């Protein structure tokens, strides 16, 4: 067992883990943060994308021991005081999901994309999200949602609030 | 999928890493960014007794100049390579080809040294360092050793690194003024190249004075295409490039797999060489 100290969504955890434990399993099985799903388990689909030390990573392709001393942000760490981020609101408003399985990874990858390129073209959004697969939407509304955030068309508060009531 | 159990070491210096590898012998695997090793472990295609995580050894990351050469630390991530102004200015082929590797999340973790040491003939960067005539520097118990790229790739997933050697830097000669392009063919975004072609071209008075062509996935190792390089010399228009590209697959023995037959790969090598050279020269 190897000792790790890792900060996840603002909380620091000290744990003993097997070296072979994947970060995604640590998040889900040890910390109970099941907002990050496991999709393909082959580094392809991007559903498990989280942020490690400020950059998007596929958490099925990082060992928990590699995150030792690091800071992880999952989709569950985005909202502040119950308020969704603009990206989360945009995904809801633009119907950028159907089954929702890819959504946590899409949002984490899109965050990364917008940080590097705050005003992407539609092609740049598609290129930036090429590591994330969605089998429902055909990507159209995902791209629209990301572009809406880039263009500053964030959600009216009322709509976001009603969405939270539905999911609560 | 859960990797098989292994012991884990995280050396904090190069000396300690080499010592750890020397003690472990053949049963150790080096972990850098993990973007090639972790998929192998998860699929249980590799069963190392010990994983040696070199990811935090200081001094192995970043790009610096050494006269006419760029020195790239083996732990420099793909993302850092793409962003680096020195690489973009003096080794544009490397920056351009690295942009096509996998996807942004993988490029944040994956390292240049790791992808070369992994020696996957379907990987994009082995062919690129072959075309650039880079040198790879390894450190082992006996000290430092410089290996020309053409002597680095031994066989499928095998480099000429000894088990107790660690790749520490990649030395890339500056190629200012050379045209470049990496053209690959793959089925979907982020899948392996069925075939890829790295082209590096020096022009003189509207003609190709010198061409370096390296092929991805046309054999068990990345390969140069000497017949095409020779035929391209002197080419001055698109038709001449197209004729020269016909010899791109000469001397290769590409594999057969679910994606392509050897004949189809040879066809791709010819077509992609033409496209890559036309893009590199601006003749297209």
């Amino acid at each position: 067992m190897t000792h790790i100290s890792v900060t996840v969504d603002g909380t620091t955890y000290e744990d003993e883990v097997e070296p072979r434990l994947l970060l995604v399993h640590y998040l889900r099985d040890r910390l109970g943060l099941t907002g990050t799903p496991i999709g393909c388990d082959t580094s392809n689909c991007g559903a498990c994308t989280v942020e490690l030390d400020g950059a998007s990573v596929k958490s099925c392709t990082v060992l928990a021991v590699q995150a030792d001393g690091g800071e992880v942000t999952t989709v569950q760490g985005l909202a502040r005081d119950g308020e969704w981020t603009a990206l989360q609101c945009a995904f809801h408003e633009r119907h950028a999901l159907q089954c929702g399985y890819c959504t946590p990874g899409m949002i984490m990858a899109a965050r990364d994309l917008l940080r590097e390129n705050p005003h992407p073209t539609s092609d740049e959004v598609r290129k930036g999200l090429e590591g994330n697969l969605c089998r429902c939407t055909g990507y159209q509304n995902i791209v629209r949602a990301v572009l809406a955030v880039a263009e500053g068309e964030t959600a009216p508060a009322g709509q976001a609030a009603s969405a939270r009531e539905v999911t609560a | 999928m859960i990797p098989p159990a292994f012991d884990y070491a995280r050396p904090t210096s190069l000396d300690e890493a080499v010592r750890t590898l020397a003690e472990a012998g053949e049963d150790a695997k080096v972990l850098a960014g993990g973007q090639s090793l972790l998929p192998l472990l998860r699929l249980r295609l590799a069963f190392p007794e010990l994983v040696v995580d070199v990811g935090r050894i200081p001094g192995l990351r970043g790009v610096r100049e050494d006269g006419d050469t760029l020195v790239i630390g083996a732990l420099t991530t793909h993302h850092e390579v793409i962003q680096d102004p020195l690489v973009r200015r003096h080794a544009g082929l490397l920056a351009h080809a690295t942009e096509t590797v996998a996807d942004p999340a993988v490029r944040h973790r994956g390292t240049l040294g790791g992808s070369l040491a992994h020696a996957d003939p379907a990987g994009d960067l082995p062919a690129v360092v072959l075309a650039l005539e880079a040198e790879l520097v390894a450190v082992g118990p006996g000290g430092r050793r410089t290996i020309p790229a053409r002597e680095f790739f031994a066989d499928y997933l095998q480099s000429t690194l000894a088990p107790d050697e660690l790749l520490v830097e990649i030395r890339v000669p500056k190629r200012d003024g050379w045209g470049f392009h990496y053209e690959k063919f793959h089925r979907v975004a982020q899948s392996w190249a069925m075939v890829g072609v790295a082209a590096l071209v020096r022009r003189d008075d509207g003609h190709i004075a010198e061409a370096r062509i390296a092929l991805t996935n046309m054999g068990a190792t990345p390969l140069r295409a000497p017949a095409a390089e020779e035929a391209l010399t002197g080419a001055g228009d698109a038709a001449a490039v197209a004729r020269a590209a016909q010899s791109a697959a000469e001397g290769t023995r590409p594999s057969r797999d679910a994606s392509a037959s050897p004949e189809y790969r040879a066809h791709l090598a010819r077509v992609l060489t033409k496209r890559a050279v036309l893009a590199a020269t601006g003749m297209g």
Side-chain angles (χ1 to χ4, degrees):
Chain A
M1 299 294 261
T2 301
H3 183 83
I4 61 168
S5 167
V6 58
T7 302
V8 182
D9 295 338
T11 304
T12 301
Y13 301 89
E14 303 275 339
D15 259 310
E16 300 293 324
V17 298
E18 267 195 285
R20 64 169 164 172
L21 184 69
L22 301 174
L23 179 59
V24 71
H25 289 137
Y26 178 69
L27 296 173
R28 291 176 55 85
D29 302 344
R30 193 70 74 87
L31 304 185
L33 294 172
T34 51
T36 299
I38 297 171
C40 67
D41 226 357
T42 59
S43 316
N44 279 291
C45 79
C48 66
T49 303
V50 301
E51 216 169 84
L52 174 57
D53 295 330
S56 62
V57 302
K58 294 182 171 183
S59 63
C60 75
T61 315
V62 178
L63 296 171
V65 289
Q66 288 179 289
D68 181 24
E71 195 162 322
V72 175
T73 304
T74 77
V75 73
Q76 287 171 268
L78 297 185
R80 287 279 167 271
D81 303 323
E83 291 292 323
W84 283 353
T85 61
L87 208 46
Q88 287 170 302
C89 293
F91 266 62
H92 170 242
E93 280 178 14
R94 311 270 157 166
H95 197 64
L97 57 143
Q98 285 182 31
C99 84
Y101 206 87
C102 73
T103 309
M106 282 289 177
I107 287 179
M108 297 312 289
R111 248 168 79 85
D112 208 48
L113 161 71
L114 290 174
R115 199 165 34 220
E116 276 208 2
N117 182 2
H119 300 289
T121 63
S122 166
D123 280 352
E124 286 168 344
V125 172
R126 287 173 186 277
K127 185 86 185 143
L129 297 179
E130 70 181 338
N132 294 72
L133 304 181
C134 170
R135 299 287 84 148
C136 302
T137 67
Y139 303 98
Q140 304 293 348
N141 289 350
I142 293 172
V143 175
R144 283 184 193 126
V146 177
L147 288 173
V149 174
E151 288 153 16
E153 299 167 16
T154 49
Q159 282 188 27
S162 64
R164 278 197 304 280
E165 281 158 25
V166 172
T167 53
Chain B
M1 287 171 281
I2 295 169
F6 49 78
D7 290 330
Y8 176 77
R10 189 196 292 156
T12 53
S13 72
L14 194 50
D15 281 354
E16 188 190 346
V18 168
R19 217 165 39 240
T20 307
L21 287 171
E23 282 164 13
E26 301 266 344
D27 295 328
K29 280 297 277 183
V30 173
L31 172 70
Q35 302 303 290
S36 297
L37 181 59
L38 289 192
L40 286 182
L41 292 174
R42 263 189 337 232
L43 292 168
R44 302 213 170 196
L45 295 172
F47 296 87
E49 295 270 322
L50 174 69
V51 167
V52 181
D53 182 352
V54 299
R56 300 184 191 206
I57 296 176
L60 299 185
R61 200 161 165 171
V63 182
R64 63 182 169 86
E65 284 178 291
D66 181 8
D68 292 335
T69 303
L70 287 188
V71 183
I72 306 174
L75 289 180
T76 310
T77 65
H78 300 314
H79 183 257
E80 289 162 346
V81 166
I82 293 167
Q83 303 286 331
D84 189 88
L86 289 172
V87 175
R88 297 190 81 85
R89 187 173 325 141
H90 302 298
L93 175 64
L94 178 60
H96 163 67
T98 305
E99 283 174 352
T100 76
V101 171
D103 57 62
V106 170
R107 293 195 292 267
H108 282 143
R109 298 288 300 171
T111 66
L112 175 58
S115 66
L116 297 178
H118 186 54
D120 188 337
D124 300 298
L125 302 178
V128 169
V129 295
L130 210 56
L132 287 166
E133 298 189 342
E135 292 180 323
L136 293 88
V137 180
V139 169
R144 284 166 76 91
R145 183 165 75 99
T146 300
I147 310 160
R150 66 177 182 283
E151 294 170 15
F152 185 78
F153 303 102
D155 204 342
Y156 181 72
L157 298 183
Q158 273 183 4
S159 75
T160 52
L161 288 173
D164 55 2
E165 277 184 318
L166 195 65
L167 179 60
V168 292
E169 64 190 34
I170 296 90
R171 300 177 65 87
V172 181
K174 292 181 183 173
R175 296 291 175 215
D176 299 17
W178 288 55
F180 60 83
H181 191 76
Y182 183 68
E183 184 79 22
K184 75 172 160 183
F185 191 80
H186 54 175
R187 287 175 298 115
V188 293
Q190 57 167 329
S191 68
W192 297 109
M194 230 179 259
V195 173
V197 175
L200 197 58
V201 180
R202 184 168 63 79
R203 286 152 298 182
D204 188 16
D205 199 22
H207 292 257
I208 293 174
E210 203 175 339
R212 307 234 185 98
I213 306 297
L215 308 173
T216 295
N217 219 3
M218 285 296 288
T221 63
L223 298 169
R224 286 282 285 268
E229 291 177 355
E230 201 182 313
L232 282 163
T233 307
D237 58 31
V241 168
R243 274 195 305 279
Q246 288 303 310
S247 50
E250 267 180 33
T252 63
R253 295 183 59 193
S255 64
R256 174 186 302 280
D257 60 23
S259 302
S261 65
E263 295 75 23
Y264 183 51
R265 285 205 155 89
H267 167 74
L268 284 174
R270 292 188 285 267
V271 172
L272 301 180
T273 296
K274 181 182 76 176
R275 288 183 191 166
V277 174
L278 289 178
T281 56
M283 288 178 188

